[in-house]
Amino acid sequence: MVRTLIAGNWKMNGLNSSLKEVEAIVDRLSGLADGADILLCPPATMIGAMASMAGDRLKVGGQCCHNKTSGAHTGDISAEMLVDAGATYVIVGHSERRDDHAERSAYVKSQAGAALRAGLVPIVCVGEEYAQRKRGETAEVIERIMRKSLPEMPSGGHGLVVAYEPKWAIGTGEIPTMAEIGEVHALIRKVLVDNYGMEGLKMPILYGGSMKPGNAAEILAVADVNGGLIGGASLKADDFMSIYEAAIN
Ligand code: PEP
């Protein structure tokens, strides 16, 4: 059994005034069964404040990290700095980082390795373009990106999460069919087991791409979907918590 993880990615959204959403999430969580893990990944500027009000149940994560511990890398943040601020997870290889910052899979692998070194759980994102899906290349693309992006697991590593995020479904309101999601998640599970042996059976595989309160229950019921990585619908406590409730019911 893999414990479900409902993870929110605030992207470049959120000011201190948005902490009222966190207050509402923590409040609502206190009345709900502890049936799934819940995580928010705000902009790095908010990690400290969010972690200090998150309580025992809500976890806080970063949205990316450098592969080095420290040094002359203006504007970057190391995995150790995220830990210092209160993070326990970090997203690596999100398609927006791959596109906006030319982060290729070899670099994503080194970021995930840096996360594990620092004691963070990396959430490694993989996904195909719409044209690749139309050409029937989805499986080949996902497997190739995974093989290049997955880090070696050090002994004492705190685990790893993979998020399947079809690029064309992010922020668009479009989603693959449930059968298509199931096919890709089964493939991801197979690659995880090839790579990590039995440990690969325990790693959560999240679906990401326009997950909302209205479609969460159906998506979360697909085999090998162990949670969601949620962008837009994680910004409002009501929407995010409706998705969490779908996961525990
Ligand atoms: C994401 O940011 O990873 C994402 C899936 O965004 P959205 O839920 O808005 O599609």
Side-chain angles (χ1 to χ4, degrees), residues 9 11 94 165 169-171 208-211 229-232:
N9 172 14
K11 312 191 185 196
H94 192 285
E165 297 214 304
I170 296 177
S210 299
M211 189 184 269
L229 181 56
I230 300 131

Side-chain angles (χ1 to χ4, degrees), residues 1-7 35-39 89 123 160-164 181-182 184-190 192-193 199-208 211 216-230 243-244 246-248:
M1 254 316 255
V2 181
R3 187 165 158 89
T4 301
L5 171 63
I6 299 299
D37 288 333
I38 179 164
L39 163 73
Y89 286 75
I123 301 177
L160 179 131
V161 177
V162 172
Y164 168 50
I181 293 174
V184 176
H185 279 241
L187 169 69
I188 292 174
R189 179 67 67 211
K190 179 184 155 308
L192 284 174
V193 171
E199 282 303 304
L201 290 172
K202 300 184 198 155
M203 294 172 175
I205 306 172
L206 312 184
Y207 169 78
M211 189 184 269
E218 191 183 12
I219 296 172
L220 291 168
V222 174
D224 273 318
V225 173
N226 310 120
L229 181 56
I230 300 131
I243 295 174
Y244 183 77
I248 59 172

